[in-house]
């Protein structure tokens, strides 16, 4: 008999994992998480970086629905809960609902954008959460939510609303219909292919935007050294998702940038909607920066890519690729691996700074000359 069975649901990416719980003289044992076994069974790529445990003492405690900006693998350590999930991602599966009871033999992978809820069925229940992003208050504040007892959802909670224990935050969450109205409005500017005249603004330089966390290390370095190239027809800028506004470039990266340009001209900026809108191509230093942009400004999805992925695909692109086709080409060939990211060198010493600078140099060496060739052909 298989130790683990992975099942799909009508919500894409929401996986139910059946685990073997073995009784022994001490009680029982289970292998709750095994990366290689799950991957071999078609489990999506999932790399946990944080492990949270919550202990629930009272039957009837009901929490949700929360759609947070990270994937989570939820397991029951002891006890039982009734779990429910609603897809709040725009697309064909929007509004789909899945629910079932969970015990130590059943775990679930909840993808980002799918709202999670649970109701405690047994006193002393303990839940385990593996997250692929570190929990942050900002991430929680950006989460979407739906009311647990919205009649339009009709989740068959074993314990009804009159006896369920719900906190004030969850009781105040909106009905699904309110979120659907938001989604319909947002869909008019969401991930749609831009018209040919919109993708590259006629008569203006092609604008490349670099994005990292604070805009004082990686994106700052990329911005400074790219500007120093004097690429004809291309302009460069940078910003941070948590920009240390007006700060200079961090000294180790600044010293490396000073080899080719004066880094003192750089001042950090906070990423904004206007900055995103002004860019033709957005290159992020890590997947977390791309995810932030897609969460905040979904319309930027087709022009936002991790820098290593963009370098890899642009360098291998057909010779006849036009400048107006670059972002569409990257979108069709999207797919990011860990080697595409540039690790944050902040406060990690000169070796880490040199490694980051070398990787960035390699990437822009692949990207900028190809963009220049496309601009030359266009003229």
């Amino acid at each position: 008999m298989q130790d683990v069975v992975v099942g799909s649901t009508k919500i894409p990416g929401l996986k139910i994992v059946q685990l073997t719980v073995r009784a022994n003289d001490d009680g029982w044992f289970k292998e709750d998480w095994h990366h290689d076994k799950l991957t071999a069974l078609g489990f999506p790529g999932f790399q946990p970086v944080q492990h949270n445990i919550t202990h629930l003492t009272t039957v009837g405690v009901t929490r949700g629905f929360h759609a947070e900006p990270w994937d989570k693998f939820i397991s029951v350590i002891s006890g039982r809960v009734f779990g429910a999930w609603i897809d709040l991602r725009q697309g064909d599966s929007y509004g789909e609902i899945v629910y079932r009871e969970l015990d130590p033999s059943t775990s679930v992978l909840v993808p980002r954008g799918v709202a999670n809820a649970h109701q405690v069925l047994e006193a002393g229940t303990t839940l385990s959460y593996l997250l692929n992003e570190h929990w942050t208050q900002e991430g929680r504040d950006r989460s979407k939510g739906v009311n647990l007892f919205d009649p339009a959802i009709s989740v068959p909670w074993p314990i009804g609303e009159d006896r369920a224990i719900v906190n004030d935050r969850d009781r105040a969450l909106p009905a699904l219909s309110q979120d659907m109205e938001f989604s319909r409005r947002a869909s008019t500017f969401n991930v749609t292919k831009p018209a040919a005249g919109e993708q590259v603004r006629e008569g203006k330089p092609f604008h490349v935007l670099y994005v990292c966390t604070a805009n004082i290390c990686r994106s700052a370095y990329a911005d400074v050294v790219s500007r120093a190239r004097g690429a004809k027809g291309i302009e460069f800028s940078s910003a941070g998702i948590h920009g240390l506004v007006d700060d200079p470039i961090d000294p180790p990266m600044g010293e490396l940038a000073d080899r080719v340009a004066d880094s003192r001209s750089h001042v950090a900026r906070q990423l904004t909607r206007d900055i995103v809108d002004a860019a033709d191509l957005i290159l992020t230093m890590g997947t977390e920066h791309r995810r932030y942009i897609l969460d905040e400004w979904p319309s930027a999805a087709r022009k936002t890519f991790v820098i290593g992925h963009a370098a890899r695909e642009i360098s291998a692109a057909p010779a006849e690729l036009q400048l107006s086709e670059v972002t569409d080409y990257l979108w069709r060939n999207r797919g990011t691996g860990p080697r595409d990211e540039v690790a944050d060198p902040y406060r990690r010493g000169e070796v880490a700074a040199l490694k980051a600078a070398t990787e960035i140099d390699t990437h822009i060496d692949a990207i900028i000359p190809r963009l220049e060739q496309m601009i030359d052909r266009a003229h």
Side-chain angles (χ1 to χ4, degrees), residues 116-130:
N116 174 69
H118 66 254
Q119 185 173 80
V120 178
L121 302 181
E122 189 174 306
T125 289
T126 301
L127 299 179
S128 164
Y129 294 83
L130 293 177

Side-chain angles (χ1 to χ4, degrees), residues 221-256:
Y221 177 88
D223 188 5
V224 170
V225 299
S226 295
R227 289 172 185 261
R229 288 173 172 256
K232 184 180 178 181
I234 310 175
E235 63 182 14
F236 301 93
S237 65
S238 61
I241 63 172
H242 305 298
L244 296 177
V245 177
D246 293 334
D247 275 16
I249 190 170
D250 196 48
M253 296 299 287
E255 291 171 7
L256 293 168

Side-chain angles (χ1 to χ4, degrees), residues 50-374:
Q50 182 170 331
H51 186 196
N52 297 341
I53 295 176
T54 182
H55 183 67
L56 304 157
T57 60
T58 308
V59 172
V61 168
T62 309
R63 297 289 180 263
F65 283 93
H66 306 138
E68 296 167 318
W70 42 72
D71 302 338
K72 46 189 172 284
F73 184 75
I74 305 172
S75 301
V76 179
I77 304 301
S78 62
R80 292 181 301 124
V81 297
F82 184 86
W85 304 274
I86 303 174
D87 196 346
L88 297 184
R89 302 167 298 182
Q90 291 187 354
D92 293 341
S93 62
Y94 181 86
E96 289 284 2
I97 303 171
V98 172
Y99 45 81
R100 62 167 299 145
E101 186 173 312
L102 303 178
D103 60 29
S105 68
T106 310
S107 298
V108 59
L109 176 70
V110 184
R112 64 198 311 267
V114 173
N116 174 69
H118 66 254
Q119 185 173 80
V120 178
L121 302 181
E122 189 174 306
T125 289
T126 301
L127 299 179
S128 164
Y129 294 83
L130 293 177
L131 312 180
N132 74 334
E133 302 275 351
H134 290 110
W135 187 97
T136 63
Q137 183 62 49
E138 185 217 11
R140 175 176 174 172
D141 292 344
R142 291 193 291 119
S143 301
K144 297 171 67 176
V146 172
N147 194 278
L148 291 157
F149 299 100
D150 180 359
I153 298 174
S154 297
V155 175
W157 298 109
I159 299 170
E161 183 176 5
D162 57 334
R163 294 187 296 120
I165 302 170
V166 183
N167 63 25
D168 291 341
R169 177 197 176 211
D170 290 351
R171 198 173 292 280
L173 287 172
L176 181 63
S177 60
Q178 292 175 257
D179 185 77
M180 290 174 67
E181 289 168 3
F182 169 79
S183 294
R184 282 196 293 269
R185 290 196 299 272
S187 68
T188 64
F189 56 82
N190 201 7
V191 185
T192 55
K193 182 177 178 180
E198 297 174 338
Q199 192 164 4
V200 178
R201 295 180 292 278
E202 188 69 30
K204 293 185 178 181
F206 187 81
H207 187 163
V208 177
L209 170 67
Y210 297 111
V211 175
C212 70
T213 304
N215 192 214
I216 61 170
C217 288
R218 293 165 288 178
S219 62
Y221 177 88
D223 188 5
V224 170
V225 299
S226 295
R227 289 172 185 261
R229 288 173 172 256
K232 184 180 178 181
I234 310 175
E235 63 182 14
F236 301 93
S237 65
S238 61
I241 63 172
H242 305 298
L244 296 177
V245 177
D246 293 334
D247 275 16
I249 190 170
D250 196 48
M253 296 299 287
E255 291 171 7
L256 293 168
D258 285 339
R259 297 175 301 183
V260 297
D262 185 356
S263 66
R264 291 176 298 177
S265 62
H266 175 80
V267 291
R269 299 191 301 169
Q270 171 62 40
L271 189 66
T272 65
R273 177 64 181 262
D274 288 344
I275 292 173
V276 167
D277 286 347
D280 294 301
L281 174 63
I282 302 174
L283 300 176
T284 69
M285 298 296 143
T287 56
E288 72 271 23
H289 309 120
R290 183 173 186 269
R291 286 171 181 156
Y292 178 96
I293 293 170
L294 269 57
D295 283 341
E296 293 295 319
W297 305 289
S299 59
R302 284 183 174 265
K303 63 178 181 180
T304 304
F305 307 95
V306 176
I307 188 170
H309 160 246
R312 176 162 40 83
E313 294 298 338
I314 287 176
S315 62
E320 65 273 13
L321 187 70
Q322 300 296 312
L323 188 66
S324 61
E325 301 169 335
V326 168
T327 54
D328 213 28
Y329 176 82
L330 291 173
W331 177 259
R332 292 196 309 272
N333 295 279
R334 63 191 182 277
T336 300
R339 293 185 179 180
D340 293 333
E341 302 181 82
V342 178
D344 191 354
Y346 184 60
R347 292 184 176 176
R348 289 176 170 84
E350 294 179 357
V351 173
L354 179 59
K355 182 175 184 294
T358 301
E359 291 176 357
I360 292 169
D361 288 340
T362 300
H363 295 327
I364 64 177
D365 282 344
I367 294 169
I368 294 177
R370 286 301 308 273
L371 294 179
E372 288 183 295
Q373 292 172 9
M374 296 174 196

